[in-house]
Amino acid sequence: MAIHYNRENKTFTLSTKNTSYQMKVDTYGVLIHTYYGESVGDADMSYLIDLRDSGFSGNIYEAGNKRDYSLDTLPQEYSSSGVGDYRITSVSVRNPDGSDAVDLRYDSFEIVPGKYDIPGLPALYGGPEDADTLKITMKDRVTRLCAVLYYSVWEKQDIITRSVRFYNGNEKPVILKKAVSMNLDLMHGQWELMHFHGRHCMERQMERIPVMSGKMEVRSTRASSSHHHNPFAILCAPETTEMAGPCYGVGLVYSGNYSIQVEKDQMNQVRLTAGIAKELFAWQLDPGAEFCTPEAVMTFSGEGLGRLSSNFHHIVREHLCRGKYKHERRPVLINNWEATYFDFNSEKILEIAKGAADLGVEMLVLDDGWFGKRDDDTSGLGDWFVNEKKLPGGLAPLVEQVNALGLKFGLWFEPEAVSEDSDLYRAHPDWAIHIPERRPNRSRYQLILDMSRQDVRDYLYERICAILDSANIEYVKWDMNRNISDVYSTNLPKERQGEVCHRYMLGLYELLEKLETRYPDVLWEGCSGGGGRFDLGMMYYYPQIWCSDDTDALERIRIQYGTSFGYPISTVGSHVSAVPNHQTGRITPLSARGIVAMAGSFGYELDLNLLSEEEKEEVKEQIRSFKKYYNLTHEGEYYRLTNPWENQLYAAWEFVSQDQTEALICGVQMLAQPNSPSQHIPVRGLDPQKQYEINGNGQILSGRALMGGGLNFPRQEGDCMPVEFYLKEKK
Ligand code: GLA
């Protein structure tokens, strides 16, 4: 069992292969956090707690005159507000008597084999062979509010997941004003925060900054995890590198409003909390009702950021992504969006499909514009009926012809959105989120449907099924092209308006679950203006997500670098597009676009008929190598070899098969320099004892030599020039 309770000293120790996590019930029933880090067995780590009489920090009543016992300085498992902890707290309420205090004390525990699940919310899944669960019940003895802290321990993966289930034992409703998924208190050390911010077309740009005294926060109140701040963060020591040093990673399995807060307190202790953002949130918990927080996934690595990412990659691939395409190779696709935008008809699509089929592409994806009156982005969303002016006879004849070319067929939807110029909006203006008497914000000309409404979800389910049943559709791209504002639901009473954003997510998750249960063989790809909802919540439903609307190879190097910290390659949708690039105007070689797109679920986003014969041959070769290296890139270990923020000249990354018999090192010389010094990259993850042949050229070196010496990039002329080394074990 990875969970051990020591009755004598009342410690709970969660053990994974390389880490220990510990908490302890103290004399006053406060659940204190004593340790998270390298394995320490089940030693009672509370010897580290250094009680001090601290400036203006109060003492709980039961502590009598013990001036050194203060919730304001003690490391805690799940801190609560209004009772003397002045730091960021995990839970805050409005009690029936109008007071705000929550005083959670230990009540009981239970250890059960297997993974807990969270009703209505996505979460890691696994059986008793994968994880064990600890449930600790905490109670406020005055208000009878209960919080059950759930921990699942994934021994092999060095992962601990957390969620909290609240239960109102009072006879009156209580308002949850804040209820985060996890709280981590670090008593010692200097820490830096790594977070992943950005904007549309520039998601997940890595920033690493020292944790300051006071509070730092990354969050979204857009009712979507957002392009702007990703719900994933790392705390690491200043000396931590890819290969060495301590670091903690936290990711939220949630796609709505969230907040990750970090505070360095008066004692230089650091607290990190992660969960639903408190803005736009107030949940009325009726007597006997429950509320479950989304799940937080945590890992600790004492061996640097590479190991931390690898832990996330494994758990996401194996225990979050689901469905037929969890491991099955995804078809190489061609998407018509950048090739035609809204200007297409069946003939044009068939021409694109034909050209692509000749080169080895395996699926055609028909993007925006096939439904309703949709010739630009001002109208039509919500009218999920085929536009027969563009596609005479509906989808079936087109799909049959596409299938006859040997290609699968995929289709774009944006179910959550509605155009004011649509039959749906004319019939149901109330279905669009807006505050009565106010005009809502438009974004990309559109409004958003209230997914908390059952009637909205029923309409979408009926329409999507009708379309999916009308032809052989084997892939769905589920897009969402705006953020939510003017939050209000005409379906909820006024005292429940603080629940709209979370109910929106619950509604969306419910619809996705229902559709995916009905169409288990469809490949679902997530999208939100590119990577605006690239989060662990969505990965439970979609094994891949369109990583960014920015398809420029150079830009993608940085976007995919940032993405790789928390998310595996298999989840990254990445395409080769035309040049000049539609987002930046930059011209990059086809070879570089190919190598960058291959670090993801690969496809094309241009009309391949417009390429020269030579380029077409190159596309054929790219597809061959994507297939050849699929297992390596999608199931292997991924290593970041350079940091494109520090090294602006060249970037490199590596894939190593799990059995270490082969490796692929990919690089791009981003900027050429005259008379440049040797460009040198490290090599990682090989078996030191094995011998490897480089690029099949007869040159053989041991894993030890290659990892010790690294490799030199060949000198090349020109910007954005790719390099590839394939290493194969030679017996
Ligand atoms: C979003 C997506 C694009 C494309 C367009 C269509 O921006 O990210 O890939 O599907 O919508 O409108």
Side-chain angles (χ1 to χ4, degrees):
M1 239 327 156
I3 300 168
H4 178 66
Y5 177 61
N6 183 324
R7 282 185 193 279
E8 267 154 45
N9 56 32
K10 295 195 175 160
T11 53
F12 295 94
T13 307
L14 318 182
S15 306
T16 68
K17 198 170 55 181
N18 298 297
T19 73
S20 301
Y21 183 104
Q22 195 184 76
M23 58 205 115
K24 178 181 174 101
V25 183
D26 79 3
T27 333
Y28 307 108
V30 172
L31 189 61
I32 53 175
H33 175 79
T34 53
Y35 184 78
Y36 189 24
E38 301 272 8
S39 290
V40 291
D42 64 353
D44 180 353
M45 301 303 281
S46 64
Y47 75 92
L48 289 168
I49 289 177
D50 187 11
L51 294 180
R52 287 153 290 192
D53 184 358
S54 311
F56 281 77
S57 293
N59 320 111
I60 58 171
Y61 202 80
E62 308 94 290
N65 292 332
K66 271 174 78 36
R67 282 178 43 148
D68 58 2
Y69 187 93
S70 175
L71 296 183
D72 193 28
T73 52
L74 266 181
Q76 291 170 66
E77 265 314 298
Y78 199 71
S79 53
S80 56
S81 64
V83 288
D85 187 343
Y86 297 92
R87 297 169 287 181
I88 311 159
T89 46
S90 308
V91 51
S92 135
V93 301
R94 172 63 43 90
N95 290 310
D97 66 0
S99 67
D100 280 359
V102 202
D103 193 359
L104 294 173
R105 303 289 177 97
Y106 174 79
D107 179 75
S108 56
F109 80 94
E110 195 185 341
I111 297 173
V112 285
K115 170 73 203 318
Y116 61 82
D117 50 31
I118 313 176
L121 284 170
L124 299 190
Y125 58 88
E129 64 290 2
D130 302 306
D132 293 317
T133 294
L134 168 67
K135 297 191 223 170
I136 299 188
T137 301
M138 309 285 292
K139 267 193 189 148
D140 183 315
R141 296 196 171 108
V142 174
T143 62
R144 280 167 280 131
L145 178 71
C146 286
V148 185
L149 312 183
Y150 283 75
Y151 300 81
S152 275
V153 184
W154 305 75
E155 201 172 349
K156 291 197 273 295
Q157 293 89 353
D158 283 332
I159 292 281
I160 295 173
T161 56
R162 294 179 63 172
S163 170
V164 183
R165 191 176 295 207
F166 286 91
Y167 168 79
N168 183 7
N170 202 300
E171 53 289 335
K172 295 200 177 123
V174 60
I175 309 293
L176 281 177
K177 296 194 300 178
K178 182 183 183 190
V180 302
S181 306
M182 54 110 22
N183 178 121
L184 177 65
D185 279 356
L186 301 175
M187 284 183 268
H188 310 109
Q190 293 275 347
W191 299 102
E192 294 183 344
L193 173 68
M194 289 174 70
H195 66 108
F196 303 87
H197 66 102
R199 53 181 180 267
H200 177 227
C201 283
M202 210 175 186
E203 298 88 337
R204 293 172 296 286
Q205 309 289 297
M206 192 269 274
E207 184 174 64
R208 180 169 172 169
I209 37 172
V211 170
M212 63 172 213
S213 292
K215 257 193 269 179
M216 296 159 92
E217 182 180 30
V218 288
R219 64 157 199 173
S220 167
T221 53
R222 297 165 179 267
S224 168
S225 53
S226 89
H227 303 82
H228 309 80
H229 297 282
N230 194 264
F232 176 80
I234 296 171
L235 280 179
C236 61
E239 69 276 13
T240 299
T241 63
E242 284 291 337
M243 300 288 281
C247 44
Y248 299 88
V250 172
L252 279 172
V253 190
Y254 193 57
S255 320
N257 290 341
Y258 78 91
S259 159
I260 298 178
Q261 291 186 305
V262 179
E263 179 170 359
K264 193 201 262 190
D265 71 11
Q266 55 174 333
M267 297 299 164
N268 293 334
Q269 302 179 111
V270 169
R271 169 171 290 174
L272 181 146
T273 62
I276 294 179
K278 71 176 194 306
E279 289 81 4
L280 299 170
F281 177 81
W283 193 275
Q284 180 174 308
L285 201 59
D286 285 334
E290 289 191 342
F291 177 84
C292 297
T293 73
E295 176 161 274
V297 180
M298 312 188 298
T299 195
F300 169 80
S301 156
E303 292 167 38
L305 300 163
R307 169 59 66 84
L308 178 144
S309 294
S310 167
N311 294 348
F312 270 94
H313 295 176
H314 280 270
I315 204 83
V316 172
R317 271 196 315 237
E318 298 299 331
H319 296 285
L320 185 63
C321 293
R322 301 178 297 168
K324 178 175 163 197
Y325 286 98
K326 176 173 167 176
H327 291 298
E328 193 170 311
R329 185 174 69 73
R330 326 248 170 91
V332 175
L333 66 83
I334 181 136
N335 178 304
N336 74 305
W337 178 240
E338 289 195 9
T340 66
Y341 295 103
F342 293 102
D343 182 18
F344 63 81
N345 54 24
S346 299
E347 278 149 40
K348 208 162 176 179
I349 295 300
L350 275 170
E351 240 173 68
I352 292 175
K354 168 113 198 25
D358 290 346
L359 305 184
V361 169
E362 299 163 309
M363 177 163 72
L364 176 113
V365 175
L366 181 58
D367 211 279
D368 195 355
W370 56 268
F371 52 89
K373 184 184 123 213
R374 183 79 171 162
D375 296 322
D376 56 34
D377 49 10
T378 60
S379 62
L381 288 170
D383 294 343
W384 301 107
F385 297 89
V386 178
N387 179 332
E388 298 217 13
K389 277 197 206 125
K390 290 184 187 176
L391 310 175
L395 284 166
L398 174 65
V399 177
E400 276 159 27
Q401 291 177 80
V402 168
N403 287 168
L405 293 169
L407 299 187
K408 294 181 190 298
F409 184 88
L411 195 62
W412 180 96
F413 285 90
E414 192 181 348
E416 298 156 73
V418 64
S419 307
E420 285 157 279
D421 184 1
S422 68
D423 293 339
L424 181 70
Y425 184 76
R426 283 182 280 273
H428 298 286
D430 257 19
W431 286 9
I433 290 184
H434 69 286
I435 301 172
E437 317 273 327
R438 286 184 200 270
R439 293 275 181 204
N441 272 257
R442 295 187 180 114
S443 182
R444 204 193 185 194
Y445 312 108
Q446 67 204 44
L447 304 180
I448 203 87
L449 292 174
D450 180 355
M451 297 298 290
S452 73
R453 294 179 69 123
Q454 186 66 52
D455 45 8
V456 167
R457 298 198 296 273
D458 289 347
Y459 167 77
L460 292 174
Y461 182 73
E462 185 277 317
R463 273 295 84 216
I464 295 169
C465 292
I467 296 290
L468 295 187
D469 292 342
S470 73
N472 182 25
I473 297 167
E474 297 179 79
Y475 160 109
V476 169
K477 176 177 174 187
W478 185 293
D479 208 343
M480 204 288 208
N481 281 311
R482 64 158 292 177
N483 292 144
I484 305 177
S485 62
D486 309 279
V487 174
Y488 191 90
S489 173
T490 47
N491 218 26
L492 287 172
K494 70 175 186 321
E495 60 279 11
R496 291 205 175 267
Q497 292 300 324
E499 302 175 14
V500 176
C501 291
H502 185 58
R503 286 188 184 276
Y504 181 101
M505 291 318 307
L506 292 172
L508 172 62
Y509 290 145
E510 183 200 280
L511 177 60
L512 289 172
E513 187 67 36
K514 212 167 143 188
L515 284 165
E516 292 182 20
T517 308
R518 174 154 167 177
Y519 301 99
D521 290 341
V522 165
L523 170 54
W524 299 83
E525 173 160 314
C527 179
S528 175
R533 251 187 347 201
F534 200 103
D535 56 62
L536 298 175
M538 284 300 164
M539 281 168 203
Y540 185 69
Y541 304 95
Y542 322 124
Q544 66 189 52
I545 300 179
W546 183 224
C547 183
S548 177
D549 272 349
D550 189 346
T551 54
D552 177 276
L554 269 190
E555 296 284 313
R556 272 292 185 119
I557 288 174
R558 280 188 283 265
I559 294 171
Q560 293 177 190
Y561 169 82
T563 303
S564 75
F565 281 88
Y567 308 99
I569 292 300
S570 57
T571 60
V572 174
S574 196
H575 299 167
V576 173
S577 61
V579 286
N581 176 268
H582 291 199
Q583 292 78 42
T584 60
R586 189 178 284 125
I587 296 180
T588 55
L590 179 57
S591 50
R593 283 174 272 151
I595 207 167
V596 172
M598 222 182 281
S601 277
F602 185 69
Y604 291 84
E605 182 124 358
L606 72 169
D607 185 348
L608 291 169
N609 295 308
L610 304 178
L611 300 188
S612 68
E613 286 312 309
E614 202 183 320
E615 287 172 319
K616 286 182 182 167
E617 286 308 310
E618 196 173 336
V619 166
K620 282 189 195 163
E621 190 45 46
Q622 286 178 346
I623 295 174
R624 272 196 291 271
S625 16
F626 173 71
K627 291 184 186 164
K628 174 170 151 207
Y629 295 136
Y630 187 84
N631 269 335
L632 193 47
T633 55
H634 281 60
E635 305 282 338
E637 287 294 312
Y638 175 80
Y639 295 87
R640 293 174 290 270
L641 300 181
T642 63
N643 172 348
W645 296 103
E646 282 168 5
N647 184 343
Q648 312 263 349
L649 296 179
Y650 59 98
W653 54 95
E654 180 186 3
F655 308 93
V656 182
S657 64
Q658 296 297 342
D659 63 3
Q660 294 169 302
T661 57
E662 51 175 352
L664 182 68
I665 294 160
C666 301
V668 174
Q669 169 178 291
M670 296 190 282
L671 269 184
Q673 283 192 317
N675 189 22
S676 66
S678 167
Q679 298 184 351
H680 181 260
I681 44 162
V683 174
R684 303 209 171 115
L686 303 180
D687 179 342
Q689 312 299 338
K690 288 191 164 76
Q691 300 291 319
Y692 296 89
E693 183 175 12
I694 306 174
N695 283 341
N697 66 6
Q699 193 182 2
I700 295 171
L701 284 160
S702 68
R704 186 184 305 284
L706 281 162
M707 289 194 290
L711 286 165
N712 287 334
F713 259 39
R715 284 195 173 74
Q716 300 188 79
E717 282 185 2
D719 292 343
C720 212
M721 298 303 292
V723 179
E724 201 174 86
F725 296 96
Y726 176 63
L727 311 180
K728 176 85 187 143
E729 185 189 6
K730 199 83 191 164
K731 290 226 168 101

